Amino acid sequence: MVNHLKTALLMMSVLLVACATPTKTPISLYDEIGGQPTIEAITDNFIDEISFNKDIYRYFEKTNITRFREKFIEHLCVDTGGPCTYTGDTMLKVHQGQKITETDFNLTVDLLVNAMKKAGLTYAQQNRVLKVLAPMRGEMLYK
């Protein structure tokens, strides 16, 4: 009787382990928002938003937009946990000498939010993207 009980307990233990739900690997923000197609949509929307804003466009009027698009996609991909490599310059180097004011920085963030909305990101997803980009703020503002 004791052997049958031990065998039954062992079999139940094996069954429970086999049926246990595997722990889910946390999904990256990149994957959550839709991966590369969404990153590209945000970028294209952002470029569009910039092109229609005279206050912000002046910072970009001499920019190689093709290169900006490529590097912004890489940057956003990396920052959201995607499988990309950023090959551009540092944020400090890119923004050096542009004398970006707090007002213009905040307006640019608003344009990025509009771009993310148009790409279909939820409010929570937009905030998560902004959270990963926020630490770079100090490298962009004029001091």
Side-chain angles (χ1 to χ4, degrees):
M1 177 82 168
V2 172
N3 282 341
H4 290 293
L5 186 57
K6 284 182 179 179
T7 302
L9 285 173
L10 179 61
M11 287 178 62
M12 286 192 59
S13 296
V14 169
L15 184 60
L16 285 172
V17 169
C19 292
T21 305
T23 54
K24 292 182 180 178
T25 304
I27 188 168
S28 69
L29 179 55
Y30 174 85
D31 289 327
E32 180 187 323
I33 65 175
Q36 195 68 17
T38 303
I39 295 291
E40 290 177 13
I42 292 168
T43 302
D44 292 338
N45 294 341
F46 187 46
I47 291 169
D48 193 49
E49 291 284 328
I50 290 166
S51 71
F52 287 105
N53 188 295
K54 65 178 178 57
D55 294 325
I56 301 307
Y57 179 75
R58 65 187 171 97
Y59 292 107
F60 291 87
E61 62 190 349
K62 294 180 183 174
T63 299
N64 176 337
I65 295 301
T66 302
R67 178 174 166 75
F68 172 80
R69 181 182 186 276
E70 177 185 309
K71 299 309 165 196
F72 192 81
I73 288 170
E74 287 176 4
H75 205 281
L76 199 52
C77 176
V78 169
D79 289 340
T80 57
C84 307
T85 302
Y86 180 67
T87 61
D89 296 321
T90 66
M91 290 299 102
L92 188 60
K93 184 172 182 180
V94 169
H95 297 91
Q96 195 170 21
Q98 290 191 9
K99 300 181 181 178
I100 299 171
T101 66
E102 183 88 27
T103 300
D104 287 345
F105 176 84
N106 291 339
L107 179 53
T108 304
V109 171
D110 290 342
L111 298 179
L112 179 58
V113 167
N114 291 342
M116 290 189 287
K117 281 182 198 172
K118 288 179 181 177
L121 272 67
T122 65
Y123 183 73
Q125 290 169 331
Q126 293 168 34
N127 281 337
R128 289 181 59 206
V129 171
L130 293 175
K131 182 179 178 181
V132 298
L133 298 177
M136 293 169 244
R137 178 182 172 275
E139 297 176 16
M140 297 177 194
L141 288 176
Y142 176 65
K143 294 176 180 158

